[in-house]
Each structure stands twice: as structure tokens, then as C-alpha cells.
């Protein structure tokens, strides 16, 4: 773990892997709930970093962080957000070949997995979901598409994602969802926030899927402010990274898309 100063009131904490990001993020939320963490305005997890902004004494926290005993987030908690999906994506057969299973088995395996939003970025409402075992990780397409339809359910590396809007992208498309991932008129605007549990529920192509609802924010969310990219999971609000072009992402996130 390597805390780096960011301006006068921020820290960028570099860690070894995504699992450590999850554990650190969960520990920060726990300490805020218990009142044992100094006030912090924003907490933004990413692939291998956690950004803390609005700290009154970042140097003190930087000295304390390496002494923390981090444990993986406890399973369970709030109900998972259910995302209706039709497993009809144009890359479903290619993913099945990579997994050495049938397309129907890809749908079964994916729908049987409980996912967790590791971090958010790329576009408002886009969450990087982890949960698939390593043997089901797939590469990006050799040739990215210039336009991925809104609602596309896609895989790349260790991540699953749902495109909140039409955009270029190189992920493997395995399905389609009618879920609204980002709605500025909704509170919270983002359906996915870091730490959110997610399950995909198969639906038939001719059936209208119910609109999933975001979770009600905790009173403790007032400990943090929200930007235009998302709100926090569990006890505070944490910002998503601002919408960026694919070339502006970090190397680890770019590899994932």
C-alpha cells in the first residue's frame, strides 16, 4: 500500500490488486459508520487505487493506512440490484467458444453469478462488475466496435459491464438489458455505485422487464458529496470517476474495457 499526496487535502492510495481496493473501500466505510475516521468529502475506488479527497489531515491518515488490518467485504448486506437481461448478444457464441461451453451455458453461468461493483467510470452510470471466476475472463475484441448499443451487457477481462449509453467499445457483447443505469432525474442518479451487489435475471425477448430501483441512501450519505457521475454505496456517497474517453482511462481500466 502506497499513499500519495494529491493537493493539500487528498490522498491517492495505490494497492496491489482489485481485491485490496475492495477491502480498503469497505474498511473506510466501516470506520466512517463507527465515527473513527476523520471527515472525508469523497472516496473514489478504481482498479488499483482509492482516492480520498477533502481530508483535514492527509499526512496523518497516510501514516496510519499501512497499519490497518484489511479484510474482504462481508457477503450479504443489502439486497442485490437485479438487472433483467436477454442473452442475445452478437458475441455470445464467441464467448461460449472461449469458455468451451454452449451459448446457453454462458447464460446460465453468468446469471448464476453474484457480482459486485468494483468501481465506476468511463461514462456516467457505467460500473465495472467483478465476480466471474478467472477461468471465465475473456479478452477484449481484436477490433472494437464504433458503436455499442445502449443496454449492452458485456465482458472484458475480469469485468462485466452494462453500457448506460451508446458509445464505442471493445467488450464482448453477450446480452441486452432495458435497465436505466443513469438517470439525472432519479435519486440517486446512478443505479450502480461501488460496493453494490448485482445479479442478472434472464428475461425472454418478448417480455417487458420491470425497472430496477436504486437503493435508498443512508442518512450517513451526508458525510460525502456526490458529483455528476454517481453516489455512494452503504454509508457515504462516493463519486464515480467523471465520464472520459477510452484513451483517457488508466492503463488497467483501458485493458479491462
Amino acid at each position: 500500500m502506497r499513499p500519495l499526496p494529491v493537493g493539500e487535502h487528498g490522498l491517492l492510495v495505490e494497492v496491489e490488486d482489485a481485491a485490496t481496493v475492495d477491502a480498503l473501500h469497505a474498511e473506510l466505510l466501516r470506520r466512517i459508520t463507527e465515527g473513527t475516521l476523520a471527515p472525508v468529502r469523497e472516496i473514489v475506488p478504481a482498479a488499483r487505487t482509492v482516492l480520498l479527497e477533502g481530508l483535514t489531515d492527509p499526512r496523518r491518515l497516510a501514516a496510519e493506512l499501512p497499519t490497518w488490518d484489511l479484510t474482504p467485504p462481508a457477503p450479504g448486506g443489502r439486497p442485490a440490484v437485479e438487472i433483467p437481461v436477454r442473452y442475445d448478444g452478437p458475441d455470445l457464441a464467441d464467448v461460449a467458444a472461449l469458455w468451451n461451453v454452449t451459448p446457453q451455458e454462458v447464460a446460465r453461468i453468468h446469471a448464476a453469478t453474484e457480482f459486485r461493483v468494483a468501481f465506476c467510470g468511463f461514462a456516467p452510470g457505467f460500473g465495472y462488475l467483478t465476480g466471474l471466476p478467472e477461468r471465465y475472463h475473456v479478452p477484449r475484441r481484436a477490433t472494437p466496435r464504433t458503436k455499442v448499443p445502449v443496454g449492452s451487457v458485456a465482458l472484458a477481462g475480469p469485468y462485466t459491464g452494462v453500457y448506460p449509453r451508446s458509445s464505442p467499445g471493445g467488450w464482448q457483447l453477450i446480452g441486452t438489458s432495458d435497465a436505466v443505469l443513469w438517470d439525472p432525474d432519479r435519486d440517486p442518479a446512478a443505479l450502480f455505485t461501488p460496493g453494490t451487489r448485482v445479479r442478472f435475471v434472464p428475461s425472454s425477448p418478448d417480455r417487458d422487464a420491470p425497472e430496477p430501483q436504486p437503493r435508498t441512501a443512508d442518512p450517513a450519505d451526508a458525510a460525502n458529496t456526490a458529483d455528476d457521475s454517481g453516489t455512494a454505496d452503504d454509508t457515504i456517497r462516493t463519486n464515480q470517476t467523471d465520464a472520459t474517453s477510452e484513451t483517457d482511462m488508466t492503463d488497467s481500466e483501458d485493458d479491462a474495457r
Side-chain angles (χ1 to χ4, degrees), residues 65-92:
L65 282 172
T67 69
W68 287 8
D69 183 18
L70 302 180
T71 58
R78 296 188 178 189
V81 171
E82 293 189 346
I83 301 297
V85 56
R86 300 179 296 276
Y87 287 100
D88 57 2
D91 300 323
L92 184 62

Side-chain angles (χ1 to χ4, degrees), residues 145-158:
R145 292 180 170 88
T146 58
K147 185 176 182 180
V148 175
V150 60
S152 293
V153 178
L155 308 179

Side-chain angles (χ1 to χ4, degrees), residues 50-135:
V50 177
L51 174 67
L52 297 97
E53 182 57 55
L55 297 165
T56 56
D57 192 352
R59 289 186 178 182
R60 178 177 177 179
L61 183 58
E64 292 176 356
L65 282 172
T67 69
W68 287 8
D69 183 18
L70 302 180
T71 58
R78 296 188 178 189
V81 171
E82 293 189 346
I83 301 297
V85 56
R86 300 179 296 276
Y87 287 100
D88 57 2
D91 300 323
L92 184 62
D94 292 338
V95 171
L98 290 168
W99 289 8
N100 197 27
V101 299
T102 65
Q104 293 78 12
E105 188 70 0
V106 171
R108 187 196 67 78
I109 293 169
H110 191 261
T113 301
E114 180 171 288
F115 294 88
R116 185 176 184 275
V117 181
F119 59 94
C120 301
F122 173 50
F126 190 95
Y128 290 77
L129 280 58
T130 56
L132 284 173
E134 186 174 357
R135 64 182 178 276

Side-chain angles (χ1 to χ4, degrees), residues 41-245:
R41 186 171 66 247
E42 298 174 338
I43 301 177
V44 186
R48 290 183 179 85
T49 61
V50 177
L51 174 67
L52 297 97
E53 182 57 55
L55 297 165
T56 56
D57 192 352
R59 289 186 178 182
R60 178 177 177 179
L61 183 58
E64 292 176 356
L65 282 172
T67 69
W68 287 8
D69 183 18
L70 302 180
T71 58
R78 296 188 178 189
V81 171
E82 293 189 346
I83 301 297
V85 56
R86 300 179 296 276
Y87 287 100
D88 57 2
D91 300 323
L92 184 62
D94 292 338
V95 171
L98 290 168
W99 289 8
N100 197 27
V101 299
T102 65
Q104 293 78 12
E105 188 70 0
V106 171
R108 187 196 67 78
I109 293 169
H110 191 261
T113 301
E114 180 171 288
F115 294 88
R116 185 176 184 275
V117 181
F119 59 94
C120 301
F122 173 50
F126 190 95
Y128 290 77
L129 280 58
T130 56
L132 284 173
E134 186 174 357
R135 64 182 178 276
Y136 297 132
H137 297 177
V138 298
R140 288 165 50 89
R141 287 172 50 85
T143 303
R145 292 180 170 88
T146 58
K147 185 176 182 180
V148 175
V150 60
S152 293
V153 178
L155 308 179
Y159 301 111
T160 288
V162 184
Y163 281 75
R165 66 186 185 191
S166 178
S167 67
W171 291 37
Q172 307 278 359
L173 309 185
I174 64 170
T176 309
S177 178
D178 296 322
V180 178
L181 280 296
W182 176 260
D183 181 357
D185 295 324
R186 184 175 60 194
D187 185 20
L191 190 63
F192 291 161
T193 55
T196 300
R197 296 165 56 223
V198 179
R199 297 197 73 97
F200 290 89
V201 180
S203 60
S204 60
D206 57 351
R207 187 177 73 190
D208 290 333
E211 173 64 24
Q213 296 298 317
R215 295 165 301 171
T216 302
D218 274 30
D221 285 349
N224 199 12
T225 59
D227 68 357
D228 62 353
S229 300
T231 54
D233 179 58
D234 294 331
T235 58
I236 66 164
R237 297 191 178 189
T238 60
N239 288 346
Q240 296 182 34
T241 52
D242 292 336
T244 61
S245 66

Side-chain angles (χ1 to χ4, degrees), residues 8-31:
E8 294 183 359
H9 302 288
L11 283 178
L12 182 67
V13 186
E14 296 182 344
V15 297
E16 182 178 353
D17 51 31
T20 308
V21 168
D22 288 347
L24 177 57
H25 183 235
E27 180 65 14
L28 289 164
L29 296 179
R30 185 186 69 80
R31 288 175 181 249

